[in-house]
Amino acid sequence: MSPDGPAGTDGQFSRAAALLIVSKYVIAMTGAGMSVESGIPTFRGEAGLWARLGGPDPSQYQNLLADPAAYWKREIERSTDPYIVELRMAVSRAKPNPGHLALAHLEKSGLVRSVVTQNIDGLHQSAGSEAVIEVHGSRYRMRCLGCGNRTPREGLFLTRAPDPCALCGGLVKYDSVLFGEPVPRDVLETARAETDRADCVLVVGTSSTVRPAAGLPRIARANGARLIEVNPNATPLTNVCDVVVRSTAAAALPEIMRAVSLLSPAAREPAAPQT
Ligand code: APR
């Protein structure tokens, strides 16, 4: 076990690479673990935000619908909560890590078609990934609950409740999906379409516990797709994965990318990710 988690093995990297190469339509599915090496803590696990600062209010979405003014008043007041401050500062300082860069290179070399992410930090896009489906929204956007219109979010900390939607007058909130809030239909349909096309899913850094996202790799598998899991820890998905790379995203994904270029000279040699 290396200081920053299990090191993974060459066998695991090459088995993952071999599966990527023979597959026709690979998608990646990522969670909070993808961004740990960019300085953003996970939610669960002993080092996670919730273990240290307590979990979020599970009725936050219902509270917003019931009384938007009171919700936003609390939201603005609690923006100084240690949990909120730690997460927002970590996200604002975060840069893509070698794992994000490797996934972007695998997309450019045509081996990974899209990234379905539960993360709201935008690091896949900053790393150069283009086909990114943010099933839990983005910290960079606001969204209207009436018509779904998305607009840029002005800064990390709102000082007043957002104005009603300019298009339909509907209720506007952060684009990030709240607990109890349905995942917006458009992103869910796109994520599901990618899942149905995939014959291989590279699952990275997720506890595979929060649906509907957690159900997508299982749906792919039921369609006959192969699963590769990159995670320093076991998850409920581990025992149905074809390859398990017991390592971290930033350590394993560049190694898998290197194994791809060794195994398949035909695959365009992706440049080494600039850390
Ligand atoms: N590299 C890869 N995986 C890692 C790393 C790392 N460096 N460090 C931790 N992990 C793994 C953990 O083992 C765990 O399986 O990342 C996973 C993080 O799990 P969660 O904190 O549950 O994050 P996630 O699966 O993305 O949560 C899903 O739940 O709280 C909601 O909306 C939130 O999108 C989030 C969703």
Side-chain angles (χ1 to χ4, degrees):
M1 172 87 87
S2 71
D4 51 2
T9 66
D10 290 345
Q12 290 170 352
F13 302 141
S14 50
R15 278 198 301 280
L19 206 42
L20 294 180
I21 290 166
V22 299
S23 299
K24 292 180 179 53
Y25 201 94
V26 178
I27 65 174
M29 288 191 183
T30 67
M34 185 76 225
S35 299
V36 164
E37 286 139 301
S38 297
I40 300 176
T42 60
F43 297 93
R44 300 169 182 82
E46 69 275 7
L49 272 168
W50 297 355
R52 290 181 286 127
L53 300 167
D57 174 357
S59 53
Q60 50 191 193
Y61 181 58
Q62 299 314 320
N63 297 342
L64 168 64
L65 297 180
D67 186 345
Y71 172 88
W72 283 109
K73 182 172 180 301
R74 261 195 318 277
E75 187 59 24
I76 289 157
E77 282 164 359
R78 80 182 188 103
S79 59
T80 53
D81 277 5
Y83 167 95
I84 298 290
V85 172
E86 174 175 343
L87 188 53
R88 285 187 182 164
M89 295 324 289
V91 174
S92 58
R93 279 193 296 262
K95 298 277 179 289
N97 65 54
H100 293 105
L101 295 167
L103 277 185
H105 284 277
L106 286 168
E107 181 189 43
K108 285 182 179 48
S109 56
L111 277 177
V112 168
R113 304 301 185 104
S114 63
V115 179
V116 177
T117 187
Q118 298 168 83
N119 300 340
I120 63 171
D121 56 34
L123 291 178
H124 285 299
Q125 294 93 323
S126 309
S129 288
E130 291 177 10
V132 181
I133 298 135
E134 296 167 301
V135 290
H136 290 169
S138 166
R139 64 175 279 263
Y140 293 104
R141 290 192 299 266
M142 305 296 284
R143 174 168 40 92
C144 171
L145 289 176
C147 65
N149 182 42
R150 293 173 174 88
T151 50
R153 174 170 162 176
E154 308 305 329
L156 274 177
F157 298 91
L158 290 190
T159 52
R160 61 181 182 83
D163 294 331
C165 174
L167 299 185
C168 76
L171 182 61
V172 171
K173 65 176 285 289
Y174 295 135
D175 184 34
S176 314
V177 175
L178 295 171
F179 268 91
E181 179 184 1
V183 170
R185 181 189 296 274
D186 55 350
V187 279
L188 193 54
E189 284 174 353
T190 307
R192 178 62 195 264
E194 284 298 287
T195 300
D196 289 343
R197 292 183 71 178
D199 64 343
C200 180
V201 182
L202 177 58
V203 185
V204 186
T206 177
S207 59
S208 292
T209 49
V210 175
R211 292 182 179 275
L216 296 175
R218 292 172 174 81
I219 289 168
R221 181 162 179 74
N223 294 340
R226 314 294 287 279
L227 301 183
I228 302 166
E229 182 176 64
V230 176
N231 196 315
N233 304 302
T235 73
L237 192 71
T238 301
N239 61 2
V240 295
C241 288
D242 299 86
V243 178
V244 175
V245 180
R246 194 55 75 226
S247 179
T248 68
L253 292 172
E255 289 297 338
I256 291 170
M257 192 183 73
R258 244 180 288 282
V260 163
S261 56
L262 292 175
L263 285 173
S264 159
R268 198 153 37 91
E269 181 69 25
Q274 306 303 321
T275 47

